Amino acid sequence: MFEHVIRNPFDMKPVFNTCEKPVFNANETDLEIQSQRKLELDNLGSNIWFETDVAVEEKLSEKTAAKLSLFNQPDDYQLFTECNNIKDLGLAIEDDVVIMHNGKLEACFVAFPSSWNAGEKVGKSLVELHEPIADNEALLRASNGIMRAMTSGQSYHRYTWGISSLNGYSNHPLYEKPEFDSLDDLTFRVEHERTATVVKDTTAVFLIHVDTYPLKEVLRTDFGLIKESIDSMSESVLEYKNLVKVKELMNEYLLST
């Protein structure tokens, strides 16, 4: 079921493939997800978004919305017509939004992060954003190339995954993760990451769409795939991805069957 998401053996290499440019119709945004994004904004405020003076002056959010086709076209009847700031953009679609300009993070709205705080990333380069990641050597080497690719005019995408004891869309670090003693208590998270050029050679948007599934359901079809991937991870990656206890529970499950 998740062969397209889980790579074996696991590594932290940033493997992106070309894709069609992402486009959105705000009227198709899932209202339940939109409501959850609003709730995260109310709960965490500036810990999920920011917009620098550069972003405001350059109208980066408005330009990004236009590139994502969020504005009305002559033959279109979309209701959503204004997107003048990053909060409007972040609430209009289901994806989290990260806007890079001249190699720096100038605006973002990240309601459903995997254990990172958007409010702490103002003005950082891709290299700086990748610094906290375990086994990050390949990511650091590729960061400048990723930035060039993102602003090249071509769109790219990839999938990443994780397992969490939080059962919502957000894994923000300000939320305490519950203790767990069973694989049945966990959630399987999939992030579909996509890029689009906003201004060629200068500005790009990184979009992150999050889906969640009860882990016990995923294990019915992909237990072997997930276990093989976890078994291939280094200790530092297991710690970084909070999978040390998950690995123990999966081994215990095998011994009990």
Side-chain angles (χ1 to χ4, degrees), residues 8-252:
N8 284 320
F10 181 89
D11 61 55
M12 297 297 288
K13 294 177 182 176
V15 179
F16 284 87
N17 296 303
T18 57
C19 69
E20 295 295 321
K21 186 192 80 172
V23 294
F24 295 89
N25 181 334
N27 289 335
E28 295 176 353
T29 299
D30 185 291
L31 294 181
E32 182 178 345
I33 295 177
Q34 187 178 57
S35 176
Q36 185 61 44
R37 295 177 70 77
K38 290 178 180 176
L39 182 61
E40 295 298 330
L41 178 61
D42 291 341
N43 287 344
L44 298 178
S46 60
N47 289 294
I48 71 165
W49 77 277
F50 69 82
E51 190 166 36
T52 66
D53 291 342
V54 169
V56 174
E57 292 166 7
E58 297 291 332
K59 297 183 177 180
L60 298 185
S61 295
E62 189 173 358
K63 290 176 181 177
T64 298
K67 283 294 180 180
L68 297 178
S69 303
L70 276 169
F71 292 124
N72 283 345
Q73 300 299 319
D75 58 347
D76 193 4
Y77 294 96
Q78 290 177 230
L79 296 178
F80 189 77
T81 57
E82 293 185 0
C83 193
N84 299 321
N85 58 67
I86 194 66
K87 286 192 285 186
D88 285 347
L89 178 52
L91 292 173
I93 62 177
E94 297 173 22
D95 292 37
D96 285 331
V97 183
V98 175
I99 302 175
M100 304 293 296
H101 177 72
N102 286 330
K104 294 183 178 181
L105 179 49
E106 298 289 356
C108 70
F109 188 104
V110 184
F112 304 150
S114 289
S115 300
W116 62 286
N117 186 329
E120 298 174 349
K121 308 300 181 182
V122 181
K124 292 194 173 184
S125 67
L126 279 185
V127 171
E128 292 170 321
L129 291 171
H130 290 152
E131 284 285 356
I133 297 175
D135 290 5
N136 62 4
E137 295 83 1
L139 269 172
L140 296 181
R141 287 195 303 270
S143 291
N144 291 332
I146 292 171
M147 193 67 248
R148 288 192 297 272
M150 287 174 64
T151 58
S152 68
Q154 174 65 58
S155 290
Y156 296 86
H157 77 133
R158 72 165 182 166
Y159 292 90
T160 63
W161 63 276
I163 295 173
S164 175
S165 59
L166 287 166
N167 60 13
Y169 288 105
S170 177
N171 261 231
H172 198 284
L174 290 180
Y175 292 145
E176 184 177 353
K177 289 184 171 63
E179 294 295 324
F180 60 94
D181 295 303
S182 169
L183 295 174
D184 292 347
D185 300 330
L186 303 175
T187 297
F188 186 76
R189 290 171 52 86
V190 176
E191 293 188 0
H192 186 197
E193 303 169 355
R194 293 179 291 171
T195 73
T197 298
V198 177
V199 179
K200 196 169 187 300
D201 300 324
T202 303
T203 311
V205 60
F206 190 81
L207 301 158
I208 310 167
H209 189 277
V210 176
D211 287 302
T212 64
Y213 310 85
L215 179 63
K216 60 183 176 182
E217 294 182 6
V218 176
L219 293 179
R220 291 187 188 127
T221 56
D222 292 295
F223 183 94
L225 189 65
I226 293 172
K227 187 176 188 309
E228 183 181 350
S229 186
I230 289 176
D231 285 346
S232 68
M233 293 178 183
S234 68
E235 291 301 319
S236 57
V237 168
L238 288 171
E239 290 281 354
Y240 174 75
K241 293 176 72 68
N242 298 308
L243 292 175
V244 173
K245 189 169 183 179
V246 173
K247 182 177 181 179
E248 292 173 359
L249 289 173
M250 294 188 81
N251 288 331
E252 290 174 7

